[in-house]
Amino acid sequence: MSEARQTGRYVLLVDDDDNVLSSLRRSLRNEAYELLTANCAGAALQLLERQPVDLVISDAQMPGMDGPTLLAQVQQRWPDTLRLLMTGLADLDTSIRAINQGHIYRYLSKPWNDDELRINLRQALAHQHAEREHRRLERLTREQNLRLQELNANLEQRVRERTAELQQTADMLDLAYAELRHSYVTATEVFSALLNQRLPCDKQSNAQVIGLVRAFSSRLSVPATESHDLAMAAALYNLGKLTWDDHLLNRPSDLLHSEERDRYRQYPALGESLLMALEPLHDAGRLIRHHQERWNGTGFPDQLHREAIPLGARLLKIAVDFVELQCGLLLQRRLTREEALEFLGKNAGRLYDPELCRHFIELCDELAPELADTEPGVVALDTRRLEPGMVLARNLQAESGMLLLNIGKQLTRPLIDKLIAFESSEGARYTLYVRQPATAAGMIEELSR
């Protein structure tokens, strides 16, 4: 294929004189375009119908249809084709008509100079290429602008839809996380019941500690997340004691010998380390580590003092000591409830946060002894007074310490019948702390947060 054909450009020469056509072909034979010829206007129009042409050079004076008329038709039918008029006469009228009707790009004179002819054609084709590229870019710009307008028109809707999708995903994650946290709370209370199996019934302290910190958290309006962490810490605060033998477990801490006391002082840190593999329990583990710190800095394991002790750990220590004083786990002599409260008051500002201790004593004074580990809105009922729809406000444990039902469980008629049958088989009577059906929905919502 010739260089001309590789460029894909065509120039049409129109003249009624074959010698002129031959001379033009010789002058332009080495140019980078294909040359086509026609010896009259009619032949030129027929060729243009079959073959796209970039540029037409027409003689002005031809029999039949002259050059200006031909170029006028070319302009009407193929406006993208450049038009040049070649004339050997100084005919002003012809030139004006060609310019007005044919919108010619340029006119050339006969005889021509070969170099000038080639330069004129190169300039004409370069101009045409620039015009085509300009139109292409304009067309591309319009298309892109239309596309951009469409995108802008849809962008707000897409943003709303995407925002809604993200919000839905976030809500699902929040719900899943809340369910996971609730599952961890339930699991920790199951572990707590297992820990209690190592102790006699009269020294099982976890359930009471859990109830107390729940009531205390409610009174102080502790945020839900911190309240969950505190409840889990209350359930597992003595996890580090699992490795102790039964003799050490049952011995009051004030009667421990030196070696036993050293081991006793290690149990909070050991409890935290046992929970390190469970990320949702990290915060609860930190409270467990520091729940034996003292307000005056003489506690263990890190000798923290005053506000350096986490708030939840300060609260947990008060509840743990209050219960363990009555269980005989701290002093050789078991204290009564009133004596335990008096002990807390005397040691406020030394062992305990004085402000928290004051609130705790006020809470215990307001609640009846048997309800000291519950909270307002809770009623105590035996199994035969239960109704479907009620929700447990605290865990239900068998006399052996085994966890039967966990807090937040909604009662149904079959479940109530099973509890009554279990009582008969065990020869026991159970009191359940429940919320009435009217407040059950609020309880379930609170547990899910």
Side-chain angles (χ1 to χ4, degrees), residues 57 60 85 94 107-108 116 128 130 169 171 188 268 280 304 317 350 385 406 439 444:
I57 302 176
L85 182 68
T94 300
Y107 67 89
L108 308 172
E116 290 181 0
Q128 182 188 58
T169 301
D171 291 343
T188 55
L304 302 181
K317 177 169 179 57
R350 188 173 73 87
R385 295 171 60 197
N406 62 283
T439 60
I444 294 173

Side-chain angles (χ1 to χ4, degrees), residues 388-399:
M390 291 180 173
V391 174
L392 282 181
R394 55 178 285 189
N395 291 336
L396 174 64
Q397 293 175 298
E399 291 184 348

Side-chain angles (χ1 to χ4, degrees), residues 421-442:
F422 182 77
E423 279 185 333
S424 299
S425 66
E426 292 287 309
R429 295 294 296 273
Y430 292 104
T431 299
L432 284 76
Y433 297 90
V434 298
R435 298 176 186 274
Q436 296 291 351
T439 60

Side-chain angles (χ1 to χ4, degrees), residues 92-132:
L92 182 60
D93 291 339
T94 300
S95 300
I96 293 174
R97 186 160 57 90
I99 292 173
N100 292 336
Q101 296 180 3
H103 299 278
I104 64 170
Y105 172 74
R106 184 171 296 172
Y107 67 89
L108 308 172
S109 61
K110 290 182 181 180
W112 62 85
N113 179 279
D114 287 347
D115 290 336
E116 290 181 0
L117 177 64
R118 286 189 288 267
I119 290 173
N120 283 326
L121 264 62
R122 289 172 190 170
Q123 291 176 345
L125 292 172
H127 172 77
Q128 182 188 58
H129 175 74
E131 287 292 319
R132 287 176 174 175

